């Protein structure tokens, strides 16, 4: 195939955009001051493709995907990179049972695992960032290995596999999802959360972290439905984070503390959030719950 049409993770894909590397480097510098030029190895531009069968979007060449050193650089440059709580955690915890055996893939320091302590039968995590493992916050074990390696050791043994904000980093998402599903017993649940490419901010590529080398793939609710069908998995649940507004103005401290400003900000935010809800304005993240057929 030509550069305009290539074989993607889920089938043939067409190029929809070419982006100069200099533009990408600039948005990373603006966001967090990080220099990620080493990931592009002299490339002048990178290409965004869309899968014809699923709508999944992904960047190429694959060599631009971040490595462990890049993740350590970005996590050091961006305070709160490993968040202690996420919007999707609550829904997953409610879906788990006290007898469940759970694996989290790409667990970081283990904040979600910590929230499962005393709530499930057993849990463990796998992670590739050795710095995160060394600073883990949970009593559950975290091992440095891939999900493919874990699958080889414990096939079809788990009630649930979770992977939060990981799939978008993966250059081979089909193999990743298949390996996660292979770890599940029949009827087991796979929880996948990613940024939602239908969110207006991400559509416009306004967030550096949703671009390469940090993020390589882009997903939506429809993309998850198509992927589930292609991989013989069932959609058990699909949730999009509600869109929220917040005040981003830079103001004098006196104004920020004033009761009139604070009341106006609360009222405006409440009104806008109500409008977003009524109009179905999509938020930043999506959570797909897939079930392995019994």
């Amino acid at each position: 195939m030509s550069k305009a049409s290539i074989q993607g993770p889920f089938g043939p894909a067409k190029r929809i955009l070419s982006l100069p590397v200099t533009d990408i480097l600039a948005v990373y510098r603006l966001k967090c001051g990080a220099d990620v030029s080493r990931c592009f190895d002299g490339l002048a531009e990178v290409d965004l493709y869309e899968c014809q069968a699923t709508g999944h979007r992904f960047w190429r060449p694959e060599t631009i995907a971040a490595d462990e050193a890049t993740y350590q650089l970005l996590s050091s440059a961006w305070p709160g990179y490993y968040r202690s709580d996420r919007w999707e955690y609550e829904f997953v915890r409610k879906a788990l049972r006290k007898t469940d055996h759970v694996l989290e893939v790409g667990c970081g320091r283990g904040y979600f695992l910590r929230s499962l302590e005393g709530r499930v039968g057993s849990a463990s995590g796998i992670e590739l960032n050795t710095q995160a493992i060394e600073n883990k916050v949970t009593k559950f074990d975290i091992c440095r290995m891939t999900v493919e390696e874990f699958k080889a050791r414990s096939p079809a043994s788990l009630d649930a596999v979770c992977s939060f904000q990981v799939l978008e980093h993966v250059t081979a998402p089909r193999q990743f999802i298949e390996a996660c599903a292979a770890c599940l017993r029949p009827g087991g649940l796979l929880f996948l959360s990613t940024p939602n490419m239908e969110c207006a901010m991400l559509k416009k590529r306004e967030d550096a972290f949703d671009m390469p080398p940090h993020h390589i793939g882009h997903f939506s609710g429809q993309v998850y439905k198509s992927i589930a069908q292609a991989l013989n998995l069932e959609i058990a649940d699909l949730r999009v984070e509600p869109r929220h507004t917040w005040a981003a103005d830079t103001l004098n401290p006196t104004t920020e503390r004033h009761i009139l400003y604070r009341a106006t900000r609360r009222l405006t935010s409440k009104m806008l959030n109500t409008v977003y809800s009524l109009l179905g304005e999509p938020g930043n993240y999506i959570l797909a719950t897939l079930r392995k057929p019994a």
Side-chain angles (χ1 to χ4, degrees), residues 159-170:
D159 299 293
V161 174
C162 314
S163 189
F164 304 114
Q165 312 298 318
V166 174
L167 189 60
E168 65 271 21
H169 300 267
V170 176

Side-chain angles (χ1 to χ4, degrees), residues 90-140:
E90 176 186 0
F91 301 106
V92 178
R93 283 193 294 263
K94 287 181 178 179
L96 296 175
R97 301 166 301 185
K98 288 190 70 68
T99 56
D100 280 347
H101 301 285
V102 182
L103 172 70
E104 185 182 0
V105 181
C107 63
R109 296 180 62 192
Y111 287 107
F112 177 71
L113 290 172
R114 184 174 67 181
S115 76
L116 295 185
E117 292 173 10
R119 300 175 67 114
V120 295
S122 68
S124 60
I126 55 177
E127 171 61 47
L128 297 180
N129 187 334
T130 53
Q131 194 174 70
I133 298 172
E134 290 168 358
N135 294 284
K136 72 170 189 156
V137 297
T138 177
K139 69 178 183 182
F140 289 127

Side-chain angles (χ1 to χ4, degrees), residues 28 31-32 34 36 65-86 88-89 104 106-112 127-132 164-170 195 207-216 285:
Y28 272 90
K31 181 179 179 75
C32 62
V36 295
D67 56 13
E68 182 177 356
T70 304
Y71 290 127
Q72 290 182 355
L73 169 67
L74 296 178
S75 61
S76 298
W78 189 255
Y81 182 86
Y82 290 114
R83 294 164 56 183
S84 60
D85 196 23
R86 291 185 180 274
E88 59 266 36
Y89 287 177
E104 185 182 0
C107 63
R109 296 180 62 192
Y111 287 107
F112 177 71
E127 171 61 47
L128 297 180
N129 187 334
T130 53
Q131 194 174 70
F164 304 114
Q165 312 298 318
V166 174
L167 189 60
E168 65 271 21
H169 300 267
V170 176
D207 185 355
F209 280 5
D210 196 46
M211 298 171 65
H214 191 246
H215 289 177
I216 297 298
Y285 299 106

